[in-house]
Amino acid sequence: MAISTFDLFKIGIGPSSSHTVGPMKAARTFASGLIDRDLSSRVTHVRAELYGSLALTGKGHGSDTAVILGLSGHTPEGVDVDSVPSLVEEVRSSRTLRLGGPDGPSVSFDPAVDVDFRRKESLPDHPNGMRFVALDASGVEVAAKVYYSVGGGFVVDERAAGADRIKPDDTVLPYPFSSAEELLGLCERTGMSISALMLANEGAFGRTPEQVRAELLEIWSVMRLCVRRGVMTEGTLPGGLRVPRRAHRLYRQLGGNCDERGLSAPTRVDPDPMHGSDWITLYALAVNEENAAGGRVVTAPTNGAAGIVPAVLHYYLHFSPGAGDEGVVRFMLTAAAIGILFKQNASISGAEVGCQGEVGSASSMAAAGLAEVLGGTPAQVENAAEIAMEHNLGLTCDPIGGLVQVPCIERNALASVKAISATRIALRGDGSHFVSLDKVIKTMRDTGRDMHDKYKETSRGGLAVNVIEC
Ligand code: SF4
């Protein structure tokens, strides 16, 4: 299975990659399949059944909205996020939708009953299972299909559940690696940096180096605009917890400035030596508040952890002499190499391994990216990634009210600071260290396996049960 940098960094919609982006993609795939197989003219009614973690936290994560949008033919990257409330309201009030897009057949779909949250049931291959059913006018099943949302917006069908991929994958990479040890070995043999090696690998997915740079900078511009919207927006987050947005107030306190491209570098010299950490917090809060509000975000590698890579990238640009676009591209390629290791050898799904798989992986990716652009050797990059993950091991997923707000938003800020500290520790050394990245990834996987299900995106344990919702 070959994973591209662009599988990990995807433009999408909040609040969750596994519970919003994944179900939206699965619903759209199901609707397109009906049209492609000429079955849509027989379909008069569609239903969606959500299982396991998707059923338990799906309401708070907007899974029902995602299903409506996907069945209506919208994509996470293409849907106009400002129009989502009216699109959904239209379906709720008419109890019908246009299957696959505005030209598709009108079919009966009442979200109140046709999105079935089966909270006590799970499908066999993953905690985030869903089943879509299409019925004809007599109520006879025309088609049905099971999908799994396996984290980071990746979706597989039941046939591919073991292989973790919808389409068979025959991509041949020039520099394949399945462990950090192999990655470091390739760097040593070729004399290439991790980012250079990743850039070469992207060629196997049909992109020239110029296209890779342009697409990564496009993704970076979406991250910057997300921070901009986050710091410019006041108010309270949706969902019922009445969590106030804090990024705007902090932006004002820090004396921030925005132009049309995003947040500008700080201009005020502050004598407080920890001043930079306030800015890092600001960047992360801005992204995660936008995510919680269902805004446009980039999975990095998931939505819940979407603030960490942009926060550390902003820190790099605003606080590192000589930082620029070339560094941004190298940062993202290096971060993706580490994300691929987590995805292949453990998991980036909170429903599978807890928050260590989301926030932990993102912190590790960001630490690696920063280490590379600050001049680290591949061994120092690997060391930075390892330190960041080591100190996120065991992190549970326990979102209050099933919303990606508490503890998720602050957690991204703290994990961003942790990533930068990890990089600084690694850059003070020579790359040799006691625990390897491969060992820490294996430990994360094993810890996730042993973790009680109530700590895996079910809102049945931890803060989710110890804090009274009001
Ligand atoms: S606790 Fe972590 S894994 Fe769970 S929803 Fe929040 S960010 Fe995602």
Side-chain angles (χ1 to χ4, degrees):
M1 171 188 171
I3 302 174
S4 161
T5 300
F6 298 96
D7 289 326
L8 292 169
F9 296 121
K10 296 185 294 291
I11 298 169
I13 179 173
S16 169
S17 43
S18 56
H19 288 54
T20 319
V21 175
M24 192 167 164
K25 286 166 70 174
R28 186 171 188 271
T29 304
F30 180 68
S32 312
L34 294 173
I35 292 162
D36 293 347
R37 288 187 290 150
D38 276 337
L39 295 173
S40 59
S41 58
R42 287 172 50 202
V43 176
T44 61
H45 183 187
V46 285
R47 305 193 71 244
E49 297 158 2
L50 306 183
Y51 293 85
S53 168
L54 273 186
L56 288 163
T57 57
K59 277 261 186 221
H61 286 45
S63 303
D64 44 355
T65 295
V67 165
I68 294 169
L69 295 172
L71 288 173
S72 305
H74 293 285
T75 61
E77 63 278 15
V79 68
D80 171 10
V81 289
D82 294 328
S83 70
V84 167
S86 59
L87 289 169
V88 171
E89 186 45 40
E90 165 67 21
V91 172
R92 287 193 199 282
S93 57
S94 68
R95 295 178 194 165
T96 60
L97 57 77
R98 291 273 178 190
L99 196 63
D103 300 327
S106 176
V107 297
S108 166
F109 185 81
D110 180 358
V113 290
D114 289 325
V115 182
D116 188 0
F117 292 91
R118 301 200 168 190
R119 292 182 177 84
K120 294 191 174 155
E121 297 173 56
S122 292
L123 294 179
D125 289 317
H126 192 277
N128 290 333
M130 66 204 111
R131 181 171 178 268
F132 295 94
V133 186
L135 305 157
D136 69 14
S138 318
V140 173
E141 206 170 281
V142 176
K145 186 105 181 161
V146 167
Y147 298 93
Y148 295 96
S149 178
V150 297
F154 287 81
V155 173
V156 298
D157 64 17
E158 53 197 325
R159 279 176 296 118
D164 211 25
R165 192 89 175 174
I166 275 188
K167 290 183 190 139
D169 179 31
D170 52 7
T171 310
V172 179
L173 299 175
Y175 300 108
F177 58 89
S178 57
S179 66
E181 189 181 357
E182 287 178 14
L183 178 61
L184 290 180
L186 283 169
C187 292
E188 198 174 323
R189 277 198 297 284
T190 61
M192 293 163 84
S193 64
I194 293 175
S195 62
L197 202 139
M198 286 293 291
L199 184 64
N201 276 354
E202 281 303 321
F205 297 98
R207 293 181 178 92
T208 65
E210 292 69 33
Q211 284 170 329
V212 174
R213 287 193 182 92
E215 285 184 47
L216 285 176
L217 290 176
E218 171 61 23
I219 287 170
W220 168 230
S221 79
V222 175
M223 288 178 173
R224 292 196 66 188
L225 290 176
C226 183
V227 168
R228 183 182 193 279
R229 274 195 314 278
V231 301
M232 300 294 274
T233 311
E234 295 178 80
T236 303
L237 294 170
L241 290 182
R242 297 198 296 277
V243 172
R245 282 179 173 258
R246 288 178 289 174
H248 179 74
R249 187 152 169 249
L250 183 54
Y251 166 72
R252 290 273 171 238
Q253 287 169 342
L254 294 175
N257 274 306
C258 283
D259 61 23
E260 69 285 352
R261 280 170 22 110
L263 183 61
S264 307
T267 49
R268 212 163 63 192
V269 179
D270 194 299
D272 178 355
M274 294 302 287
H275 180 61
S277 120
D278 290 340
W279 283 89
I280 298 157
T281 298
L282 173 66
Y283 310 139
L285 292 185
V287 173
N288 289 88
E289 287 174 2
E290 270 304 289
N291 179 60
R296 172 73 70 235
V297 293
V298 175
T299 62
T302 65
N303 277 32
I308 298 161
V309 166
V312 179
L313 269 168
H314 274 80
Y315 164 79
Y316 160 66
L317 263 196
H318 288 174
F319 290 89
S320 306
D325 282 353
E326 192 55 32
V328 169
V329 169
R330 287 175 49 221
F331 183 119
M332 293 175 85
L333 288 166
T334 307
I338 303 305
I340 287 168
L341 291 174
F342 281 110
K343 169 85 182 130
Q344 283 184 324
N345 298 312
S347 172
I348 56 169
S349 163
E352 251 183 323
V353 294
C355 196
Q356 54 173 358
E358 298 205 15
V359 161
S361 299
S363 187
S364 182
M365 290 166 65
L370 184 64
E372 165 128 351
V373 295
L374 294 185
T377 62
Q380 288 171 315
V381 170
E382 184 259 3
N383 191 185
E386 184 280 318
I387 295 169
M389 185 67 229
E390 184 179 324
H391 304 289
N392 278 298
L393 286 174
L395 199 60
T396 59
C397 171
D398 51 358
I400 297 176
L403 298 163
V404 194
Q405 297 180 9
V406 186
C408 320
I409 296 171
E410 268 177 18
R411 186 167 286 175
N412 274 254
L414 273 288
S416 304
V417 174
K418 194 181 283 188
I420 295 165
S421 295
T423 299
R424 295 180 72 89
I425 294 171
L427 293 181
R428 293 281 179 189
D430 63 3
S432 55
H433 53 108
F434 197 72
V435 179
S436 71
L437 178 57
D438 287 328
K439 287 280 188 306
V440 95
I441 292 174
K442 178 184 182 306
T443 306
M444 189 266 263
R445 186 191 65 203
D446 294 348
T447 305
R449 205 173 275 159
D450 294 340
M451 197 181 276
H452 196 290
D453 279 352
K454 68 183 179 182
Y455 299 116
K456 297 183 193 174
E457 216 161 354
T458 58
S459 287
R460 285 179 159 171
L463 286 173
V465 296
N466 287 321
V467 177
I468 299 165
E469 295 171 39
C470 48

